[in-house]
Amino acid sequence: MKQETLDAMWGAISKNKEPFVDFLYRKAKILGKDKLEWYDLSASTQTDKKKLSYDEGAEFILKHFEQFSPKMASFSKRAFEEAWIEAEDRPGKRPGGFCTGFPLSQQSRIFMTYSGSMSNVATLAHELGHAFHSFALKDIHPLNRRYAMNVAETASTFAEMIVADASVKEANSDEQKIALLEDKLQRSVAFFMNIHSRFLFETRFYEERKNGFVPASRLNELTDQAQREAYHDAVNSTSPSYWSNKLHFHITGVPFYNFPYTFGYLFSLSIYAKALEEGTNYEDQYMALLRDTAVMSVEDLAMKHLGEDITKESFWEKGIELCKNDVKEYLSLTE
Ligand SMILES: [Zn+2]
């Protein structure tokens, strides 16, 4: 990808942070504070949360995938029926999700801990999205299947979005709806603010490192500054030692292993917006885009399959606009 594309993405995000700042202040108010502390960022304000058993979660996913892509639904049905997913919630097992593909058998396996929350259902959909990306690539030459990180989260985020959006629409009460919107907005805050702080930190760190060793105390300062800036000072405290425990900073072979998440999120939001317009007709175009993810630059990919120039801020603003709608709904429900 081009530097211009990255600059356009952060440019659009930086200009559109205000609604997410409003969300953080509203959340603080609900929690009885003026400003959130760092550890409040991931806290929930609601206790009435919808729960689904694993089978109900699977049914929910299949039903909603079907409305966008019958092929994605039937593929996922196979993953459920043939037990490709290890989802048991047992003591000592980590939360989170992981998907890996087996090119020869053309199958995938998913490892996750399913405890019944709607965010688990979204994670399961996310991992099925990764598996579907491998499925879409199965007839492509193996050398042309290794897509770069910036598009690695396209299929997963798209799948997750379908389920997260549907769960907000099908919430049984205002409290549940607020909780689900909070989950969605938490994700926007992570991609637009947290990941932005990591990008600012890394950029400045690499600059200082050119002049020699950068001690821990200085890394703390750089982190604190980057977090305050990226969150527009909407947090009372920061996490200065964040650099020490976030794995991505320590993968030396891949500098800037952070912004691809934000890129993937906004890129797939624009695919989602197109799919919402075109319904199941969009399926074949979507799969054609996935098949091209490892053979062209992202600029060419977006131009060919979405007709969009992603070196322009206006492209990125469209995705951000969808997230701003979540803020509007959240603010009015919590009035
Ligand atoms: Zn993923």
Side-chain angles (χ1 to χ4, degrees), residues 205 208-210 212-219 222:
F205 164 68
E208 290 205 12
R209 184 66 184 85
K210 287 179 188 165
F213 183 73
V214 185
S217 56
R218 180 64 188 147
L219 293 174
L222 288 173

Side-chain angles (χ1 to χ4, degrees), residues 126 130 153 156:
H126 179 107
H130 279 304
E153 296 299 329
S156 54

Side-chain angles (χ1 to χ4, degrees), residues 95-274:
F98 171 71
C99 174
T100 194
F102 297 93
L104 292 181
S105 62
Q106 299 187 340
Q107 295 184 5
S108 290
R109 291 293 183 274
I110 290 168
F111 182 85
M112 73 163 293
T113 304
Y114 186 93
S115 55
S117 70
M118 286 313 287
S119 99
N120 286 158
V121 181
T123 300
L124 182 50
H126 179 107
E127 301 307 331
L128 285 165
H130 279 304
F132 187 66
H133 196 169
S134 304
F135 174 76
L137 285 165
K138 70 179 169 42
D139 297 324
I140 302 289
H141 190 282
L143 292 177
N144 289 338
R145 287 184 208 160
R146 295 199 55 183
Y147 45 77
M149 283 194 317
N150 51 12
V151 288
E153 296 299 329
T154 304
S156 54
T157 314
F158 176 70
E160 186 178 342
M161 204 66 67
I162 292 173
V163 165
D165 236 13
S167 59
V168 173
K169 285 187 189 118
E170 293 192 7
N172 301 325
S173 65
D174 274 358
E175 287 73 37
Q176 283 186 4
K177 194 169 234 176
I178 293 168
L180 290 163
L181 278 169
E182 226 170 64
D183 276 353
K184 275 188 88 188
L185 282 166
Q186 221 90 281
R187 242 167 285 161
S188 295
V189 168
F191 292 123
F192 303 154
M193 294 169 146
N194 188 309
I195 304 271
H196 193 204
S197 77
R198 300 188 207 181
F199 180 76
L200 295 172
F201 166 78
E202 282 191 291
T203 308
R204 291 163 190 171
F205 164 68
Y206 291 132
E207 229 13 78
E208 290 205 12
R209 184 66 184 85
K210 287 179 188 165
N211 304 320
F213 183 73
V214 185
S217 56
R218 180 64 188 147
L219 293 174
N220 288 348
E221 279 171 25
L222 288 173
T223 306
D224 177 69
Q225 271 172 20
Q227 288 174 345
R228 291 194 186 279
E229 191 176 326
Y231 284 84
H232 273 216
D233 275 315
V235 282
N236 199 32
S237 53
T238 59
S239 176
S241 59
Y242 197 77
W243 59 269
S244 67
N245 57 53
K246 202 38 87 175
L247 163 89
H248 304 89
F249 294 132
H250 300 271
I251 304 174
T252 50
V254 193
F256 293 106
Y257 184 1
N258 282 304
F259 77 78
Y261 288 98
T262 305
F263 184 101
Y265 182 63
L266 285 174
F267 190 69
S268 62
L269 267 178
S270 70
I271 295 173
Y272 182 61
K274 268 220 151 34

